[in-house]
Amino acid sequence: MFGNKFVTQAISRSAENGLDRRKFFAAAGVAGLGVAGAGVLGASGAFANDDQGSGGGPSDAAILNFALNLEYLEAEFYSRAYLGEGLPDNLTGGKGDRGPVKGGRKVDFKTKAIRDYACEITFDERHHVEFLRTALGGAAVARPAIDIDAAFQAAAKAAGLATDAKPFDAYASEENFLLAAFVFEDVGVTAYKGAAPLVSNKTYLEAAAGILAVEAYHAANIRTSIVAKGIDLEKAANKISDARDSLDGSSDLDQGVVNPDGKANIVPADKNSIAFSRSAGQVLNVVYLTPKKATSGGFFPNGTNGEIRESAANG
């Protein structure tokens, strides 16, 4: 589409330092400059050597790798539910220890709409993994160890939905699948929104906004499906919301699928109809299943891979 001469001149005009050039290469590779752009980018990936943000916060690479950990978790959960198998090996390697995934199996969906939703979300999450791994190139972290079954049982017990005698199996029915998906989807939306102000590269900020939008579609889809199932599933989902709220701090931000007046609450938002955010530490509180400062637990028994791996101290 563009020749090497055009790309070189554009770099000279726009890049003031090495970091700007690397980010221009990243934009060129992903925004579609064709063979010329891809050749300039090379095989190292967009953020393989990225620097810290100007404010001393985490680098774009660290933020995208944190997102990649979450996408691994979602992709593994949904892939097992719809396909009966996890991610292929070629989508799980990278920096850090590649861990196994425990639990999960194919769900016997009874409702065509929910089965179709599961299909669509499965491949959306796989595409997110593929996109982030491509964007990060050699800087991409490996899939960390993930424990699906034990973590869902712990989460369900915390929400009052399970006991040792009556365990929770996320894959036993489409109703359980919806409740398990509800655990993830709202967290994904708030995680991307919380990370957005920290991403300095506008190309990747736009991409992250696109992923946020897809996660929001997913969340609304799952919430709508839960409400359609009736009051028992609504009450169970609201208990999960309360349990999340007990993990991520004193603010009562998380919202269930129905309001106290019994009306559906498909879009959890503030009085200005703006979705709320979670910090990376708060997100890790939820997926580690602890209100305390920790570097592992819950769905990630050995912690996440990458620089961002410590939950907040909320309890």
Side-chain angles (χ1 to χ4, degrees), residues 31-120:
L33 292 190
V35 176
V40 174
L41 174 62
S44 62
F47 290 105
N49 299 303
D50 204 357
D51 297 326
Q52 292 292 105
S54 59
S59 66
D60 285 354
I63 295 167
L64 295 187
N65 267 320
F66 176 67
L68 179 57
N69 279 276
L70 302 179
E71 296 294 349
Y72 281 138
L73 175 57
E74 289 189 299
E76 292 290 358
F77 165 71
Y78 284 110
S79 292
R80 282 163 167 73
Y82 181 70
L83 298 171
E85 61 185 25
L87 291 172
D89 286 346
N90 68 326
L91 290 182
T92 62
K95 289 190 172 183
D97 295 329
R98 177 166 63 180
V101 179
K102 295 176 63 177
R105 68 183 191 279
K106 196 170 185 178
V107 174
D108 182 15
F109 292 104
K110 302 296 185 183
T111 306
K112 179 183 182 300
I114 297 175
R115 181 174 61 252
D116 289 350
Y117 298 157
C119 173
E120 184 174 13

